[in-house]
Amino acid sequence: DQQVKQNSPSLSVQEGRISILNCDYTNSMFDYFLWYKKYPAEGPTFLISISSIKDKNEDGRFTVFLNKSAKHLSLHIVPSQPGDSAVYFCAASLVDSGYALNFGKGTSLLVTP
Amino acid sequence: DVKVTQSSRYLVKRTGEKVFLECVQDMDHENMFWYRQDPGLGLRLIYFSYDVKMKEKGDIPEGYSVSREKKERFSLILESASTNQTSMYLCASSLDGMQGYTFGSGTRLTVV
């Protein structure tokens, strides 16, 4: 049973605007949430993470928001750039499981000029 | 920079062959992982290891085994390859939860 869900398989945004990628989870015990970015024929690269005790983490153009009561997190990219076009995976981990990550199915972001 | 190196980018194997996928990391990470990525299914955990000679089953371990004889090396073994094991295989290592994983570039395995 999938514990991390990304319900939007794809998203298209104009360059310069905000991209919002969403993720829902079912296990309230998750300790960390992470976002990865993946280009074709490459391994995913770590983008940003947030601890379950925080509600926001920011790193340059990327901000992750966590709403624990709704079991929902989102990644905001502002401003979006064509180089941001990639598949984005949301993931969650439990310390007790050796930090093994549960991944969502991914959202393909296309940023158009 | 942490490097995770997977020995092959592309592999073609025949049904029934024993297949070894090798992964080496150079940053003394305790935790190592094997995932497979399939269209529409995302990344699914096959096996992971949090110490030498330790292994834990992930979500889809059937048809696979692993070996971790040294801290830096984590091997995935397909005991008898089948066509439904055609996939992109990704190895990763990590120090802790907040820093996340460092992934290798992946091995695209085709079983014919």
Side-chain angles (χ1 to χ4, degrees), chain B residues 14-28:
Chain B
R14 295 196 179 278
T15 302
E17 274 193 78
K18 191 167 186 175
V19 181
F20 292 86
L21 302 182
E22 306 287 345
C23 175
V24 177
Q25 52 98 359
D26 65 0
M27 276 299 286
D28 206 33

Side-chain angles (χ1 to χ4, degrees), chain A residues 12-90:
Chain A
S12 184
V13 170
Q14 269 193 316
E15 182 178 5
R17 297 204 175 236
I18 184 171
S19 295
I20 300 176
L21 295 98
N22 293 304
C23 179
D24 297 297
Y25 61 95
T26 57
N27 189 344
S28 58
M29 302 300 292
F30 283 133
D31 299 291
Y32 297 103
F33 301 90
L34 305 93
W35 286 93
Y36 285 82
K37 177 179 176 179
K38 187 180 185 300
Y39 294 116
E42 293 183 15
T45 53
F46 170 69
L47 202 53
I48 191 169
S49 63
I50 188 167
S51 164
S52 60
I53 61 172
K54 302 259 174 119
D55 55 20
K56 179 181 173 181
N57 189 27
E58 200 169 344
D59 184 2
R61 295 186 298 116
F62 303 93
T63 303
V64 56
F65 294 93
L66 176 62
N67 182 334
K68 286 191 75 175
S69 60
K71 296 195 182 74
H72 177 84
L73 66 154
S74 60
L75 174 69
H76 293 212
I77 306 173
V78 183
S80 302
Q81 299 173 353
D84 295 330
S85 298
V87 178
Y88 288 79
F89 290 98
C90 171

Side-chain angles (χ1 to χ4, degrees), chain B residues 58-94:
Chain B
D59 299 320
I60 51 164
E62 297 78 19
Y64 303 94
S65 62
V66 289
S67 171
R68 192 156 181 212
E69 296 295 320
K70 293 184 178 181
K71 193 174 187 180
E72 67 270 18
R73 187 179 295 270
F74 192 36
S75 303
L76 180 70
I77 303 154
L78 285 67
E79 297 291 343
S80 176
S82 63
T83 54
N84 63 13
Q85 292 178 310
T86 291
S87 186
M88 167 71 89
Y89 289 87
L90 292 159
C91 174
S93 73
S94 79

Side-chain angles (χ1 to χ4, degrees), chain A residues 2 32-34 36 38 41-46 49-51 57 87 89 93 97-106, chain B residues 9-10 31 33 35 37 40-43 45 48 50 59 88 90 94-101 103-106:
Chain A
Q2 191 129 28
Y32 297 103
F33 301 90
L34 305 93
Y36 285 82
K38 187 180 185 300
E42 293 183 15
T45 53
F46 170 69
S49 63
I50 188 167
S51 164
N57 189 27
V87 178
F89 290 98
S93 74
S97 68
Y99 300 113
L101 287 175
N102 290 273
F103 283 89
K105 293 184 179 180
Chain B
R9 290 300 299 270
Y10 300 95
N31 310 303
F33 308 84
Y35 285 82
Q37 184 196 2
L41 296 176
L43 279 73
L45 180 64
F48 64 103
Y50 49 87
D59 299 320
M88 167 71 89
L90 292 159
S94 79
L95 190 60
D96 62 35
M98 271 303 281
Q99 295 185 37
Y101 293 178
F103 279 90
S105 299

